[in-house]
């Protein structure tokens, strides 16, 4: 009985399976294959459903354009949804391409649909050995049970091969990408074998084989431009093209330099319009494009592009030598003035009966009492003279205060404190620079490995590659910082040798370590800026400006040290202050917000107040809880006279400096943009320049002479600063924006076909800092043989 049941079950299963196979076989055998032959440049209408497969073959009346690629245009005549799409397959000799209609795009706010498409078939599908005609066979299928009408047309892309210096115009939508071909070879594949030579474009035969692709558009739609090798398949959709060649996002402007070493035979230029603007604007969703814009105009973007020859080696060498010659000219200018300076070393002391405008006070008053720095390094090495220390609460000083009272430490102590600046700067430079070089070289390799041109914010219209460098000119233009920094350190060494046997009690105490630190900082600024320009972007901009902060702080410290040798900041506290400034700069770049700007503005103005009091009271001011009480007592005792400054000139100059800082703070709060590093740099460099001008004015008020060569250096330095500022503000990139938005600021080279405004900023700012250093080096030369008892403090 059990055996009978099992046998019946097996027979039933066999009958069921045979029925299923019969049903499947019936479906297959009832599929209708419709084959027809058509002509190019003719609109063909076919109907398909789930039982009909259309196979279309195409012929041409003439073989004139054979070898140029075929472009397939397909459009739906019936409204469909994404449930039953139409599949179009183009079969070539060695490849198959497939697409579907409608193209459904899901965005944050809507689901959008394109009912037409156009694709260019790869012309290099067969390679150099073409064994069949370069015409595809088209198959159209669908799973839709209803009849669906489709229009299809094939044509040759007659402007496919790009000619040098010839503008090409095109329109692209998300469903109709286009690409073109530029050949480095005089015999491009598939073209020279079967095309009339008269219709071929003039291909690039120049040496060296390097070109620049410049792209423009009149609208703000987001697009991707891809540069790919001449092989099949060509990736003309935004997902696949990330894995081939180089690619970049753009809105109104774009460009890229290509060398033959990247693509030995030639390359495709692929244009794709993105489904939304999020990748170009940084905002999500449809951005400013409404749904009606999609429906009415189909998101059409126009392009104009041109392939132009890049620089030849001769032009490279000419630009490089011209820039270097300018740097050498500036570097030689200072030694020439140094030779003139020798005539000022006469043994004639400068006698000043009235050291300052407030000379009516007695010279025996409290300001002439020795004020000794509390640094433990210098205290043991004071001159053996009785020290009189003022009470901590008394900060009222009376002129005249002379340099002798603020230069009590022994020369050896001055020298050691000065040397600490150089060794601290050298340590910071080495420790800071090594990881920067490693990080930026890694970024440079990533650009080549991934092909993503959005990683680095180059001025692509003036970014000339050379060897492993994608942007050689912006790296090389930092040569001015390096050369001039080394020259300034050599000048300092020569000056130190000349003054080795000079009497130590005469003239301004020379802290040569500070000068060495300034020269080293200038050199490191060039090296780190060169590293930054290997791949400039938001994450490493701090490396470009970090030693600018160092230079600004060192200039202010040196100016203060000239008249306050014993109350000057030591190296450790100075570089700690610089480290804090760098950290604030990094935090402001990475996390910009209104709250951060408010906190920074409060900190900025607080520091200004404290430094103002320190400078006004010659380092005797201390931040204590009793300050409000003492201020109230002084106000009750003296009334309105408490607000009258005792040191008018010093008070006026400090007031001007505070007004400038208040203006910078107000501007920063008004803008509070993402480019915080530029704001911080403006504060530090602006204060350094203001302090330099204040120092000059105070010398004039105290009737101290200033050498003619220093006037020349100051005039040239400030002219260079103005030029540098104008060039700096004329930015060709903006890392605070998206890569596509930054490209809208790109512009062609300004000078020598090799340099843009940022390169010129490098040269101008390096010359400005070098001339400023030289002016600071020689500004007190007329006092070199003057007794320090006759040199006023201000």
């Amino acid at each position: 009985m059990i055996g009978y049941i099992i046998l019946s079950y097996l027979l039933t299963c066999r009958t069921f399976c045979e029925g299923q196979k019969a049903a499947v076989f019936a479906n297959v055998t009832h599929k209708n294959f419709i084959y027809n032959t058509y002509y190019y440049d003719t609109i063909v209408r076919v109907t398909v459903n789930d039982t009909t497969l259309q196979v279309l073959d195409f012929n041409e009346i003439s073989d004139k354009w054979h070898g140029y690629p075929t472009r397939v245009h397909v459009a739906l005549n019936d409204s469909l949804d994404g449930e039953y799409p139409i599949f179009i397959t183009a079969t070539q000799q060695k490849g198959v391409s497939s697409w579907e209609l409608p193209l459904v795009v899901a965005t944050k706010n809507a689901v959008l649909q394109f009912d037409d498409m156009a694709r260019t078939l790869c012309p290099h599908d067969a390679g150099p050995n073409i064994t069949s005609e370069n015409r595809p066979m088209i198959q159209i299928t669908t799973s839709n049970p209803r009849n669906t009408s489709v229009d299809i047309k094939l044509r040759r892309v007659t402007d496919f091969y790009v000619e040098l210096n010839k503008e090409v115009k095109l329109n692209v939508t998300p469903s109709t990408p286009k690409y073109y071909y530029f050949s480095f070879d005089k015999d491009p594949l598939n073209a020279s074998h079967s095309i009339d030579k008269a219709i071929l474009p003039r291909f690039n035969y120049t040496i060296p084989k390097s070109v620049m692709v410049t792209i423009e558009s009149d609208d703000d739609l987001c697009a991707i431009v891809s540069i790919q090798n001449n092989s099949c398949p060509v990736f003309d959709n935004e997902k696949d093209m990330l894995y081939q060649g180089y690619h970049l996002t753009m809105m109104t402007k774009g460009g890229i330099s290509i060398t033959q070493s990247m693509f030995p035979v030639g390359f495709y230029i692929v244009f794709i319009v993105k489904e939304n603007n999020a990748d170009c604007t940084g905002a999500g969703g449809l951005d400013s494009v409404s749904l009606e814009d999609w429906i009415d105009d189909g998101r059409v973007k126009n392009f104009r592009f041109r392939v132009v020859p890049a620089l030849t080696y001769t032009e490279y060498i000419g630009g490089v030598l011209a820039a270097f010659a300018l740097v050498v000219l500036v570097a030689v200018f200072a030694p020439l003035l140094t030779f003139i300076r020798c005539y000022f070393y006469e043994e004639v002391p400068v006698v000043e009966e009235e050291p300052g405008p407030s000379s009516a006070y007695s010279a025996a008053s409290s300001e002439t009492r020795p004020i000794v720095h509390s640094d433990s390094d210098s205290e043991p090495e004071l001159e053996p003279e009785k020290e009189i220390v003022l009470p901590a609460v008394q900060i009222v000083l009376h002129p005249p205060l002379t340099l002798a009272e603020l230069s009590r430490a022994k020369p050896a102590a001055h020298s050691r404190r000065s040397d600490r600046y150089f060794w601290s700067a050298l340590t910071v430079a080495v420790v800071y620079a090594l990881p920067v070089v490693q990080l930026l070289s890694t970024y440079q390799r990533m650009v080549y490995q991934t092909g993503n041109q959005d990683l680095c914010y180059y001025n692509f219209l003036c970014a000339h590659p050379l060897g492993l460098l994608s942007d050689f000119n912006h790296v090389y233009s930092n040569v001015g910082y390096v050369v001039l920094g080394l020259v300034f350190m050599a000048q300092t060494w020569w000056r130190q040798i000349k003054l080795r046997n000079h009497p130590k009690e005469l003239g301004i105490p020379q802290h040569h370590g500070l000068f060495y630190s300034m020269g080293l900082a200038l050199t490191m600024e060039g090296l780190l800026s060169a590293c930054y320009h290997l791949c400039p972007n938001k994450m490493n901009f701090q490396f470009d400006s970090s030693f600018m902060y160092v230079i600004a702080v060192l200039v202010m410290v040196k100016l203060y040290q000239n008249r306050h040798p014993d109350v000057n900041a030591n190296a450790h506290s100075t570089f700690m202050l610089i480290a804090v400034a760098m950290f604030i700069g990094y935090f402001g770049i990475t996390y910009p917000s209104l709250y951060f700007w408010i906190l920074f503005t409060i900190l900025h103005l607080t520091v200004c107040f404290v430094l103002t009091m320190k400078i006004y009271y010659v380092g005797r001011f201390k931040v204590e809880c009793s300050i409000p009480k003492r201020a109230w007592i002084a106000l009750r005792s003296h009334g309105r006279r408490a607000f009258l400054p005792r040191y008018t000139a010093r008070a006026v100059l400090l007031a001007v400096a505070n007004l400038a800082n208040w203006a910078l703070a107000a501007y920063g709060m008004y803008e509070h943009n993402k480019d915080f590093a530029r704001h911080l740099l403006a504060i530090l460099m602006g204060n350094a320049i203001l302090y330099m001008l204040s120092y000059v004015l105070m010398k004039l008020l105290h009737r101290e002479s200033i050498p003619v060569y220093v006037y020349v250096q100051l005039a040239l330095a400030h002219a260079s600063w103005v030029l540098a500022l104008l060039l700096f503000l004329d930015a060709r990139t903006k890392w605070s924006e998206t890569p596509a938005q930054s490209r809208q600021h790109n512009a062609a080279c300004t000078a020598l076909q090799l340099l843009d405004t940022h390169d010129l900023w490098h040269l101008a700012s390096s010359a400005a800092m070098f001339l400023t250093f030289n002016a600071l080096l020689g500004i007190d030369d007329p006092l070199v043989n003057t007794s320090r008892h006759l040199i006023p403090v201000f």
Side-chain angles (χ1 to χ4, degrees):
M1 185 65 180
I2 294 174
Y4 176 77
I5 293 173
I6 293 173
L7 181 62
S8 300
Y9 174 76
L10 292 175
L11 290 174
T12 303
C13 289
R14 178 180 178 184
T15 304
F16 175 78
C17 292
E18 289 178 351
Q20 291 287 26
K21 290 181 180 179
V24 171
F25 182 75
N27 287 338
V28 174
T29 54
H30 284 87
K31 197 80 168 181
N32 296 322
F33 294 86
I34 302 177
Y35 173 85
N36 279 303
T37 302
Y38 304 95
Y39 285 97
Y40 272 61
D41 301 314
T42 302
I43 298 177
V44 178
R45 177 165 295 179
V46 295
T47 301
V48 293
N49 53 41
D50 60 342
T51 62
T52 304
L53 186 151
Q54 292 280 354
V55 180
L56 295 80
D57 205 351
F58 288 84
N59 289 321
E60 293 177 277
I61 298 176
S62 171
D63 288 337
K64 177 180 179 180
W65 299 101
H66 178 63
Y68 280 76
T70 297
R71 188 164 177 84
V72 180
H73 298 259
V74 182
L76 296 176
N77 294 315
D78 302 313
S79 178
L80 296 178
D81 54 29
E83 185 177 359
Y84 294 108
I86 299 291
F87 294 96
I88 302 97
T89 303
T91 305
Q92 295 177 272
Q93 178 177 337
K94 293 184 179 180
V96 176
S97 301
S98 181
W99 316 278
E100 65 179 72
L101 281 178
L103 174 62
V104 178
V105 178
T107 67
K108 182 177 179 180
N109 301 328
V111 177
L112 309 170
Q113 178 173 307
F114 293 91
D115 291 332
D116 63 328
M117 56 78 62
R119 292 291 193 277
T120 302
L121 302 181
C122 185
H124 296 151
D125 172 74
N129 301 316
I130 303 174
T131 58
S132 64
E133 293 184 349
N134 187 23
R135 300 189 185 104
M137 179 176 293
I138 308 297
Q139 300 177 20
I140 303 177
T141 59
T142 183
S143 298
N144 194 340
R146 297 187 299 108
N147 287 340
T148 304
S149 177
V150 180
D151 287 345
I152 184 170
K153 176 184 175 181
L154 269 63
R155 67 175 181 87
R156 295 288 185 178
V157 183
T158 57
D159 60 347
F160 179 72
Y161 294 99
V162 179
E163 190 174 341
L164 270 176
N165 295 312
K166 184 176 181 180
E167 185 177 85
V168 179
K169 298 181 180 180
L170 64 149
N171 295 318
V172 180
T173 69
S175 62
T176 60
K178 293 182 179 179
Y179 60 87
Y180 297 81
Y181 181 71
F182 179 84
S183 176
F184 283 119
D185 195 343
K186 65 179 181 180
D187 295 318
L189 302 180
N190 289 13
S192 58
H193 299 286
S194 54
I195 302 178
D196 184 1
K197 301 296 184 181
I199 66 173
L200 279 175
R202 292 181 291 108
F203 294 112
N204 179 29
Y205 307 138
T206 60
I207 298 175
K209 303 284 189 175
S210 62
V211 295
M212 179 177 290
V213 182
T214 61
I215 311 157
E216 295 180 343
S217 179
D218 294 329
D219 51 68
D220 292 330
L221 298 180
C222 186
I224 301 179
V225 178
S226 176
I227 307 296
Q228 302 179 23
N229 193 28
N230 67 328
S231 58
C232 291
V234 179
F235 298 108
D236 57 355
N237 64 78
E238 61 179 281
K239 294 180 180 179
D240 295 337
M241 64 88 196
L242 299 176
Y243 305 103
Q244 177 68 266
Y246 301 91
H247 57 273
L248 56 94
T249 58
M250 64 160 289
M251 297 175 73
T252 61
K253 192 181 293 185
I256 185 173
S257 294
I258 304 295
T259 64
Q260 192 173 14
S261 61
M262 300 176 183
F263 304 100
V265 178
F267 57 88
Y268 293 117
I269 312 169
V270 185
F271 298 88
I272 304 170
V273 175
K274 291 187 69 67
E275 299 159 354
N276 58 60
N277 291 341
D279 288 346
C280 291
T281 62
L286 292 176
D287 305 320
S288 59
V289 181
S290 65
L291 184 59
E292 289 75 15
D293 294 332
W294 283 76
I295 297 173
D296 294 341
D297 60 20
R299 196 168 168 82
V300 178
K301 184 176 181 64
N302 68 83
F303 292 94
R304 299 182 304 277
F305 78 93
R306 187 189 301 266
V307 179
V308 298
L311 294 184
T312 63
Y313 287 135
T314 302
E315 292 169 329
Y316 265 100
I317 294 172
V320 165
L321 293 180
F324 189 75
L326 182 61
V327 172
V328 171
L329 180 64
V330 176
V332 171
F333 183 72
L336 290 178
L337 292 180
T338 302
F339 177 76
I340 299 173
R341 184 170 57 212
C342 295
Y343 292 102
F344 289 84
Y345 290 157
E346 300 179 5
E347 298 293 330
V348 180
V350 178
V351 179
E352 295 191 14
E353 297 179 357
E354 298 179 353
S358 303
S359 59
Y361 291 93
S362 171
S365 59
S366 61
E367 190 175 8
T368 62
R369 297 175 182 175
I371 300 177
V372 182
H373 193 269
S374 60
D375 189 355
S376 60
D377 294 327
S378 60
E379 282 183 354
E381 301 181 6
L382 292 174
E383 297 290 349
E385 185 173 324
K386 185 177 180 180
E387 178 183 352
I388 303 174
V389 182
L390 292 176
V393 295
Q394 184 177 352
I395 60 174
V396 178
L397 304 173
H398 300 284
L401 182 66
T402 63
L403 186 61
E405 311 303 332
L406 296 182
S407 181
R408 304 287 294 170
K410 290 183 178 180
H414 277 303
S415 178
R416 281 199 297 272
R417 291 188 62 203
S418 176
D419 290 343
R420 286 195 193 98
Y421 275 95
F422 174 72
W423 293 113
S424 297
L426 183 61
T427 303
V428 169
V430 173
V431 174
Y432 193 80
L434 289 178
V436 171
V437 173
Q438 181 181 4
L439 175 65
L440 272 300
S441 59
T442 302
Y443 266 110
Q444 178 71 95
R445 288 197 301 269
M446 287 178 60
V447 172
Y448 283 109
Q449 292 173 358
T450 65
N452 186 1
Q453 301 297 295
D454 288 352
L455 288 176
C456 307
Y457 285 67
Y458 300 129
N459 176 9
F460 289 92
L461 299 181
C462 187
H464 301 292
L466 184 66
L468 298 177
L469 301 178
S470 299
D471 190 7
F472 164 75
N473 49 298
H474 285 87
V475 174
Y476 172 75
S477 61
N478 290 282
V479 66
Y481 296 113
V482 178
V483 172
L484 296 179
L486 295 175
V487 170
F488 183 74
M489 284 194 285
Q491 285 180 256
T492 303
W493 173 80
W494 180 85
R495 184 184 182 90
Q496 188 176 12
I497 296 297
K498 296 288 289 184
L499 296 177
R500 178 174 295 172
N501 298 322
H502 191 270
K504 304 301 181 183
E505 70 277 3
L506 300 180
I508 300 293
Q510 295 296 317
H511 281 204
H512 293 100
L514 268 171
F515 286 124
Y516 283 122
S517 300
M518 290 159 59
L520 177 64
L522 186 58
T523 298
M524 290 307 302
E525 169 60 27
L527 293 176
L528 289 182
S529 179
C531 291
Y532 164 74
H533 284 284
L534 291 175
C535 184
N537 57 38
K538 176 181 178 180
M539 298 309 298
N540 53 47
F541 179 77
Q542 56 180 323
F543 306 139
D544 184 44
S545 56
S546 55
F547 269 84
M548 282 287 194
Y549 304 158
V550 176
I551 290 170
V553 173
L554 289 178
V555 167
M556 290 186 281
V557 169
K558 185 65 186 78
L559 284 168
Y560 192 75
Q561 177 270 332
N562 282 352
R563 305 292 168 138
H564 311 82
D566 285 346
V567 296
N568 202 17
N570 58 42
H572 306 304
S573 58
T574 299
F575 281 96
M576 180 57 69
L577 175 64
I578 294 172
V580 171
M582 289 183 181
F583 174 76
I584 293 174
Y586 163 76
F587 197 87
I589 293 171
T590 310
Y591 306 104
S593 66
L594 179 60
Y595 300 106
F596 170 80
W597 278 91
I598 292 173
L599 292 175
F600 173 77
T601 301
I602 294 172
L603 176 63
H604 174 202
L605 298 180
T606 302
V607 171
C608 286
F609 171 76
V610 173
L611 290 179
T612 298
M613 294 295 102
K614 287 281 188 181
I615 294 173
Y616 185 76
Y617 290 109
V618 198
R620 297 307 302 267
F621 177 81
K622 293 184 179 179
V623 180
E624 297 174 337
C625 298
S626 60
I627 289 178
K629 180 181 178 181
R630 298 205 310 269
W632 173 249
I633 294 174
L635 184 62
R636 291 183 59 184
S637 301
H638 302 286
R640 289 181 297 176
R641 289 181 302 168
F643 294 101
L644 297 177
R646 291 180 177 271
Y647 321 106
T648 307
R650 194 184 307 169
V652 169
L653 293 176
L654 287 172
V656 172
N658 275 273
L659 287 175
N661 278 274
W662 276 87
L664 282 171
Y667 178 78
M669 281 299 301
Y670 176 75
E671 290 289 337
H672 61 271
N673 54 28
K674 297 179 181 179
D675 198 352
F676 174 77
R678 178 179 294 188
H679 179 73
L680 183 58
L681 181 60
I683 291 174
L684 294 175
M685 295 302 293
N687 278 279
I689 294 173
L690 278 175
Y691 197 4
M692 186 77 174
L693 292 175
S694 301
Y695 192 84
V696 172
L697 289 175
M698 291 298 290
K699 283 180 68 68
L700 295 177
L701 288 173
H702 286 79
R703 291 187 289 278
E704 293 182 2
S705 63
I706 297 177
V708 175
Y709 55 83
V710 173
Y711 276 121
V712 174
Q713 290 170 339
L714 285 173
L716 293 176
H718 285 84
S720 300
W721 276 122
V722 171
L723 176 61
L725 178 62
L726 294 175
L727 293 169
F728 183 72
L729 295 177
D730 188 20
R732 299 307 185 189
T733 61
K734 288 188 180 294
W735 57 261
S736 56
E737 300 177 348
T738 65
Q741 291 170 335
S742 175
R743 282 189 179 85
Q744 298 182 102
H745 303 284
N746 290 177
C749 297
T750 305
L752 305 172
Q753 298 182 320
L754 182 70
L755 309 175
D756 66 0
T757 54
H758 195 77
D759 292 313
L760 297 178
W761 142 259
H762 287 161
L763 296 174
S765 61
S766 62
M769 284 186 279
F770 179 69
L771 292 168
T772 301
F773 291 176
N774 275 273
L776 187 58
L777 189 66
I779 195 170
D780 288 316
D781 279 352
L783 302 177
V784 69
N785 296 311
T786 303
S787 174
R788 292 176 184 173
H789 291 281
L790 301 175
I791 300 177
V793 172
F794 46 78

